[in-house]
């Protein structure tokens, strides 16, 4: 287990400035006073673990990440309850997935206990940066990038692991308003054998042109179909997707080329708790269109750490648009969202042991 050196920021943000900034939180624009950093090199392994003042990195222009995009990340949140207790939601799952991504990108794995310690120590030092209630939380962004000065194409011999923290409000500006989704028929996100199941920056780089197309068409997010047949629904640029039918059952695309979301996995468990049958199976866009026409499909929602659970009101595509159910956030979506948010905010019992308390240091 690594020892962390804690070096406090000599110029933290003034209380009054933070209080003012907290009155209007966006997503990922404001950052806390500190960051956690751990270095890896082929000869020393993981070393020099620190929580220190948040500051820029100095990178050599030949740093491998700038050329070959060997980079992975995670996204998780710390929530504060009314009694002041600060918790993380299933951080062990982020640690495991981070290492699965590392293996796929030929990067060194970080022992789960060190991943968790980096997050715990950062949140403990920046505890006052965790907003209270009103859908606010401290978004944590662990990431790792290759940092060897070398232009040859092979896995880097040096890496930097870092965690930064950003207090956030709700992800979609419209609040609980249902989101509009653009179905991309030109671009795909992931192919079998590719990096679809890894949380790597490159997947996002490749999705941005499709996301821009969604924006041009008045949509909030893009929905990708499979790369081989352009037939099967996969997921959004950064969220998984569920469909709810008029018999009370749900469908979600199976794991494989999609990102195995921790929210997706939690929704599957909460559905089971609430006697909602869920099939993890391929669901074709054509089948969806038929289910909208027949009235069988009554709700759809996107899920992920940033937005938690967001109702989908409309799907737009090249040849038209489809209203899902009433076009409003549906009852099953609302139920699952409330259950999940209730656990995260400690208003409902944590019967699955998903919460991890940050000790007061
Ligand atoms: C992170 C991510 C998700 C959601 O995962 P969570 O663990 O639920 O936050 C879904 N899809 C993609 C592409 C992602 O990067």
């Amino acid at each position: 287990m690594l020892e962390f050196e804690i070096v406090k920021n000599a110029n933290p943000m003034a209380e009054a400035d933070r209080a003012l900034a907290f009155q209007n939180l966006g997503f990922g624009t404001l950052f806390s006073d500190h960051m956690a950093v751990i270095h890896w090199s082929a000869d020393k392994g993981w070393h020099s673990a620190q929580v220190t003042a948040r500051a820029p990195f100095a990178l050599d222009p030949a740093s491998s990440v700038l050329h070959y995009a060997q980079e992975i990340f995670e996204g998780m949140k710390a929530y504060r309850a009314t009694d002041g207790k600060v918790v993380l939601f299933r951080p062990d799952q982020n640690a495991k997935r981070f290492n699965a991504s590392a293996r796929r990108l030929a990067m060194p794995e970080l022992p789960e206990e060190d991943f968790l310690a980096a997050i715990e120590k950062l949140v403990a030092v920046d505890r006052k940066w965790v907003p209270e209630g009103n859908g606010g939380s401290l978004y944590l962004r662990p990431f790792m990038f290759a940092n060897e000065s070398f232009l040859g194409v092979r896995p880097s011999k040096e890496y930097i692991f870092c965690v930064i923290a950003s207090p956030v409000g709700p992800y979609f500006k419209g609040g609980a308003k249902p989101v509009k989704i653009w179905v991309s028929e030109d671009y795909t996100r992931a192919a079998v054998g590719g990096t679809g199941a890894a949380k790597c920056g490159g997947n996002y780089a490749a999705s941005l042109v499709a996301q821009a197309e969604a924006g041009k068409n008045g949509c909030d997010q893009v929905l990708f179909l499979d790369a081989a047949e352009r037939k099967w629904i996969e997921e959004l640029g950064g969220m998984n997707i569920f469909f709810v039918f008029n018999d009370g059952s749900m469908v979600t695309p199976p794991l494989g080329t999609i990102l195995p979301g921790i929210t997706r996995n939690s929704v599957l468990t909460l559905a089971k708790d609430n006697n909602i049958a869920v099939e993890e199976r391929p669901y074709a866009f054509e089948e969806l269109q038929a289910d909208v026409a027949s009235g069988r499909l009554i709700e759809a929602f996107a899920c992920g750490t940033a937005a938690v659970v967001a109702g989908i009101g409309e799907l737009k595509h090249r040849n038209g648009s489809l209203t899902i159910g009433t076009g409003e956030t549906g009852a099953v979506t609302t139920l699952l969202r409330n259950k999940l948010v209730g656990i995260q905010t400690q208003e409902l019992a944590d019967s699955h042991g998903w919460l991890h308390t940050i000790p007061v240091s």
Side-chain angles (χ1 to χ4, degrees), residues 182-226:
W182 171 254
V183 183
S184 178
E185 289 162 272
D186 294 327
Y187 302 106
T188 60
R189 178 184 169 276
V192 174
T195 57
K199 215 167 169 73
C200 59
N203 287 346
Y204 277 74
S207 77
L208 296 179
V209 66
Q211 177 65 36
E213 191 176 80
K216 261 186 238 142
N217 284 281
C219 294
D220 306 287
Q221 277 275 334
V222 59
L223 173 65
F224 289 104
L225 304 177
D226 76 291

Side-chain angles (χ1 to χ4, degrees), residues 73-76 94 97 189 196 198-200 203-204 235-240 258-265 303-306 308:
F73 65 96
E74 273 299 323
M76 54 208 290
N94 294 96
R97 188 172 65 190
R189 178 184 169 276
K199 215 167 169 73
C200 59
N203 287 346
Y204 277 74
E235 65 169 318
L236 310 188
M239 277 177 278
N240 296 118
I258 65 170
L259 200 284
I262 296 162
T263 316
R264 175 187 180 278
N265 179 273
C303 67
T305 296
V308 194

Side-chain angles (χ1 to χ4, degrees), residues 20 22 25 36 39 43 113 154 163 186 208 224 241 275 284-285 319 325 339 350 358 361:
L20 193 64
F22 270 31
L25 289 174
H39 293 263
D43 51 338
E113 57 183 8
R154 58 146 171 77
V163 190
D186 294 327
L208 296 179
F224 289 104
I241 192 164
N275 297 314
F285 184 47
N319 300 313
K339 296 274 177 196
D350 174 27
I358 302 285
S361 56

Side-chain angles (χ1 to χ4, degrees), residues 37 81 95 144 199 215 269 277 291 344:
V37 183
M144 167 164 56
K199 215 167 169 73
T269 299
D291 287 341
Q344 292 167 338

Side-chain angles (χ1 to χ4, degrees), residues 271-332:
K272 200 179 287 169
D273 289 354
N274 288 277
N275 297 314
I276 298 168
V278 193
E279 273 187 288
E280 292 177 73
R281 67 155 172 98
Y283 186 53
F285 184 47
E286 272 183 8
E287 191 181 350
L288 177 147
Q289 289 172 284
D291 287 341
V292 168
S294 72
R296 188 171 112 80
L297 179 67
I298 55 172
E299 297 180 33
F301 63 87
C303 67
T305 296
V308 194
V309 169
I312 296 172
E314 189 182 342
L315 289 176
K316 282 181 82 176
H317 57 110
R318 218 166 24 216
N319 300 313
S321 99
L322 303 157
T323 301
I324 310 295
T326 60
E328 297 300 320
T329 299
V332 174

